[in-house]
PDB file of all heavy atoms in Angstrom:
ATOM      1  N   ASP A 130     155.337 103.514  90.237  1.00 79.00           N
ATOM      2  CA  ASP A 130     155.391 103.617  91.699  1.00 79.00           C
ATOM      3  C   ASP A 130     154.244 102.843  92.368  1.00 79.00           C
ATOM      4  O   ASP A 130     153.936 103.046  93.524  1.00 79.00           O
ATOM      5  CB  ASP A 130     155.382 105.082  92.143  1.00 79.00           C
ATOM      6  CG  ASP A 130     154.130 105.826  91.705  1.00 79.00           C
ATOM      7  OD1 ASP A 130     153.361 105.289  90.880  1.00 79.00           O
ATOM      8  OD2 ASP A 130     153.915 106.948  92.189  1.00 79.00           O
ATOM      9  N   SER A 131     153.645 101.936  91.632  1.00 83.00           N
ATOM     10  CA  SER A 131     152.532 101.148  92.154  1.00 83.00           C
ATOM     11  C   SER A 131     152.955  99.693  92.351  1.00 83.00           C
ATOM     12  O   SER A 131     153.825  99.179  91.645  1.00 83.00           O
ATOM     13  CB  SER A 131     151.360 101.198  91.167  1.00 83.00           C
ATOM     14  OG  SER A 131     150.412 100.226  91.484  1.00 83.00           O
ATOM     15  N   GLU A 132     152.307  99.032  93.269  1.00 86.00           N
ATOM     16  CA  GLU A 132     152.592  97.620  93.513  1.00 86.00           C
ATOM     17  C   GLU A 132     152.094  96.742  92.363  1.00 86.00           C
ATOM     18  O   GLU A 132     152.558  95.630  92.166  1.00 86.00           O
ATOM     19  CB  GLU A 132     151.916  97.197  94.820  1.00 86.00           C
ATOM     20  CG  GLU A 132     152.223  95.783  95.242  1.00 86.00           C
ATOM     21  CD  GLU A 132     151.598  95.434  96.582  1.00 86.00           C
ATOM     22  OE1 GLU A 132     151.189  96.340  97.324  1.00 86.00           O
ATOM     23  OE2 GLU A 132     151.523  94.233  96.867  1.00 86.00           O
ATOM     24  N   TYR A 133     151.143  97.256  91.558  1.00 90.00           N
ATOM     25  CA  TYR A 133     150.483  96.420  90.560  1.00 90.00           C
ATOM     26  C   TYR A 133     150.639  96.889  89.116  1.00 90.00           C
ATOM     27  O   TYR A 133     150.045  96.290  88.242  1.00 90.00           O
ATOM     28  CB  TYR A 133     148.984  96.335  90.875  1.00 90.00           C
ATOM     29  CG  TYR A 133     148.709  95.839  92.258  1.00 90.00           C
ATOM     30  CD1 TYR A 133     148.454  96.736  93.302  1.00 90.00           C
ATOM     31  CD2 TYR A 133     148.717  94.485  92.539  1.00 90.00           C
ATOM     32  CE1 TYR A 133     148.198  96.278  94.576  1.00 90.00           C
ATOM     33  CE2 TYR A 133     148.463  94.024  93.817  1.00 90.00           C
ATOM     34  CZ  TYR A 133     148.206  94.922  94.826  1.00 90.00           C
ATOM     35  OH  TYR A 133     147.950  94.463  96.092  1.00 90.00           O
ATOM     36  N   GLY A 134     151.385  97.933  88.844  1.00 84.00           N
ATOM     37  CA  GLY A 134     151.426  98.442  87.485  1.00 84.00           C
ATOM     38  C   GLY A 134     152.803  98.659  86.905  1.00 84.00           C
ATOM     39  O   GLY A 134     152.958  99.353  85.913  1.00 84.00           O
ATOM     40  N   LYS A 135     153.816  98.060  87.505  1.00 87.00           N
ATOM     41  CA  LYS A 135     155.191  98.281  87.039  1.00 87.00           C
ATOM     42  C   LYS A 135     155.446  97.594  85.700  1.00 87.00           C
ATOM     43  O   LYS A 135     154.942  96.518  85.430  1.00 87.00           O
ATOM     44  CB  LYS A 135     156.173  97.746  88.077  1.00 87.00           C
ATOM     45  CG  LYS A 135     156.168  98.487  89.390  1.00 87.00           C
ATOM     46  CD  LYS A 135     157.172  97.858  90.355  1.00 87.00           C
ATOM     47  CE  LYS A 135     157.233  98.597  91.652  1.00 87.00           C
ATOM     48  NZ  LYS A 135     156.136  98.312  92.551  1.00 87.00           N
ATOM     49  N   SER A 136     156.278  98.242  84.900  1.00 85.00           N
ATOM     50  CA  SER A 136     156.676  97.679  83.616  1.00 85.00           C
ATOM     51  C   SER A 136     157.463  96.385  83.832  1.00 85.00           C
ATOM     52  O   SER A 136     158.360  96.329  84.675  1.00 85.00           O
ATOM     53  CB  SER A 136     157.532  98.698  82.864  1.00 85.00           C
ATOM     54  OG  SER A 136     157.862  98.215  81.600  1.00 85.00           O
ATOM     55  N   GLY A 137     157.120  95.348  83.087  1.00 83.00           N
ATOM     56  CA  GLY A 137     157.825  94.074  83.174  1.00 83.00           C
ATOM     57  C   GLY A 137     157.401  93.187  84.327  1.00 83.00           C
ATOM     58  O   GLY A 137     157.877  92.063  84.467  1.00 83.00           O
ATOM     59  N   GLN A 138     156.496  93.658  85.154  1.00 91.00           N
ATOM     60  CA  GLN A 138     156.027  92.892  86.306  1.00 91.00           C
ATOM     61  C   GLN A 138     154.946  91.901  85.865  1.00 91.00           C
ATOM     62  O   GLN A 138     153.997  92.259  85.168  1.00 91.00           O
ATOM     63  CB  GLN A 138     155.458  93.866  87.340  1.00 91.00           C
ATOM     64  CG  GLN A 138     154.848  93.235  88.552  1.00 91.00           C
ATOM     65  CD  GLN A 138     154.215  94.281  89.468  1.00 91.00           C
ATOM     66  OE1 GLN A 138     153.789  95.337  89.007  1.00 91.00           O
ATOM     67  NE2 GLN A 138     154.156  93.981  90.744  1.00 91.00           N
ATOM     68  N   VAL A 139     155.081  90.640  86.270  1.00 95.00           N
ATOM     69  CA  VAL A 139     154.053  89.633  86.009  1.00 95.00           C
ATOM     70  C   VAL A 139     153.225  89.477  87.283  1.00 95.00           C
ATOM     71  O   VAL A 139     153.760  89.243  88.362  1.00 95.00           O
ATOM     72  CB  VAL A 139     154.670  88.283  85.581  1.00 95.00           C
ATOM     73  CG1 VAL A 139     153.581  87.228  85.407  1.00 95.00           C
ATOM     74  CG2 VAL A 139     155.469  88.454  84.292  1.00 95.00           C
TER      75      VAL A 139
END
Side-chain angles (χ1 to χ4, degrees):
D130 61 349
S131 167
E132 184 177 344
Y133 304 97
K135 294 179 178 78
S136 183
Q138 176 184 28
V139 176

